[in-house]
Amino acid sequence: MTLEDALAALKSNAETDRAEGMASYHKQTRPVLGVANPALNELSKTWRQSLGVEDRVRLASELWSTDIFEARIVAAKTLTQARLRPDSAAWELICDWVRDFDSWAIADHVCMAGQRRLMADPTRIDTVETWTTSDHMWTRRAALVITLPWTKQNFPKPLDLEIRDRVLGWAASYAEDHTWFIQKAVAWWLRDLSKHDPDRTRAFLATHSDNMKPFAVKEASKHLA
């Protein structure tokens, strides 16, 4: 699968009447083809099944470099897989992409790919922690989005609880950052955590809610009695 083949497949699924609306909704200045998400899912599924890991990483890197909206999303989807061996090159590529984030849709798809790699090797949390002090807002936000799996465990192991508390520490450092996307990410993390660990969520809000924006506190508390 060459980059040219992949781009041809993307363009063959483009709906030109969707492109303008998508660009407006996602606030894109980069090219937008108008490819619907189901088509991106099918393409990435085909490439995951037909290509080896090395070729997938290569293709994902090349797609990202085009700076086409859907190409960046499908690049992330091509690497979104729980079992990926070896996965060090994929993880390094995902980390390289973080510095380019400027859109929630692209960032969230990459973080979904990154979640699998982080769960596969939780020691990578040390790398993610370095993102929390970045001058780049999207990098700071990514530290919370990529660690969302640790909000969802009903029976966390001691290491999982350690990571959960570690990320809550990052969220605490974000509480006074009133950038909308940062507050939304903190609220997202706490809201998901509240379904599985309401005590930790309540404890966090008891300490930090006064520093958060009201909409974020409301969102974080959505599932608390």
Side-chain angles (χ1 to χ4, degrees):
M1 171 68 66
T2 66
L3 174 61
E4 290 72 21
D5 293 335
L7 289 176
L10 278 172
K11 291 174 181 177
S12 71
N13 282 278
E15 302 172 44
T16 54
D17 57 335
R18 294 174 57 94
E20 184 176 350
M22 288 175 60
S24 176
Y25 176 73
H26 291 288
K27 297 179 173 60
Q28 294 297 296
T29 56
R30 59 175 49 86
V32 177
L33 302 176
V35 184
N37 202 50
L40 297 177
N41 288 339
E42 283 302 312
L43 286 173
S44 61
K45 179 181 178 181
T46 298
W47 297 339
R48 287 197 304 269
Q49 292 174 341
S50 62
L51 298 175
V53 173
E54 183 176 345
D55 285 336
R56 264 185 282 163
V57 171
R58 172 193 53 77
L59 179 62
S61 179
E62 292 173 349
L63 284 164
W64 186 270
S65 295
T66 67
D67 199 30
I68 297 170
F69 178 71
E70 292 93 338
R72 289 198 161 186
I73 289 179
V74 81
K77 287 178 178 289
T78 301
L79 299 182
T80 305
Q81 184 175 338
R83 295 184 179 182
L84 193 67
R85 293 289 183 270
D87 74 342
S88 58
W91 171 247
E92 290 171 6
L93 184 59
I94 288 166
C95 291
D96 284 344
W97 287 345
V98 172
R99 73 189 75 175
D100 295 333
F101 288 173
D102 59 7
S103 160
W104 65 265
I106 293 172
D108 289 359
H109 279 95
V110 174
C111 284
M112 283 189 279
Q115 288 169 10
R116 273 68 167 187
R117 306 283 52 82
L118 196 54
M119 292 294 287
D121 183 358
T123 65
R124 289 168 172 159
I125 200 79
D126 292 337
T127 297
V128 177
E129 187 163 39
T130 67
W131 302 352
T132 64
T133 56
S134 173
D135 292 334
H136 183 224
M137 181 275 290
W138 291 102
T139 297
R140 298 196 306 277
R141 176 184 180 274
L144 294 186
V145 181
I146 205 170
T147 53
L148 279 168
W150 276 275
T151 68
K152 297 175 170 57
Q153 299 140 325
N154 285 319
F155 304 102
K157 297 176 181 178
L159 177 59
D160 297 320
L161 291 174
E162 180 182 326
I163 292 174
R164 186 175 286 182
D165 287 333
R166 190 171 177 180
V167 180
L168 284 170
W170 306 345
S173 73
Y174 290 178
E176 294 185 1
D177 183 341
H178 288 180
T179 307
W180 189 89
F181 277 109
I182 294 294
Q183 289 286 303
K184 184 70 173 178
V186 171
W188 183 3
W189 218 91
L190 293 170
R191 183 196 65 205
D192 284 6
L193 180 65
S194 71
K195 301 175 188 177
H196 306 275
D197 196 340
D199 290 343
R200 273 183 168 80
T201 308
R202 289 191 184 96
F204 182 97
L205 290 171
T207 304
H208 301 289
S209 61
D210 287 347
N211 294 325
M212 296 166 59
K213 296 289 283 184
F215 86 85
V217 175
K218 182 178 180 181
E219 179 71 12
S221 307
K222 183 176 181 179
H223 299 295
L224 293 175

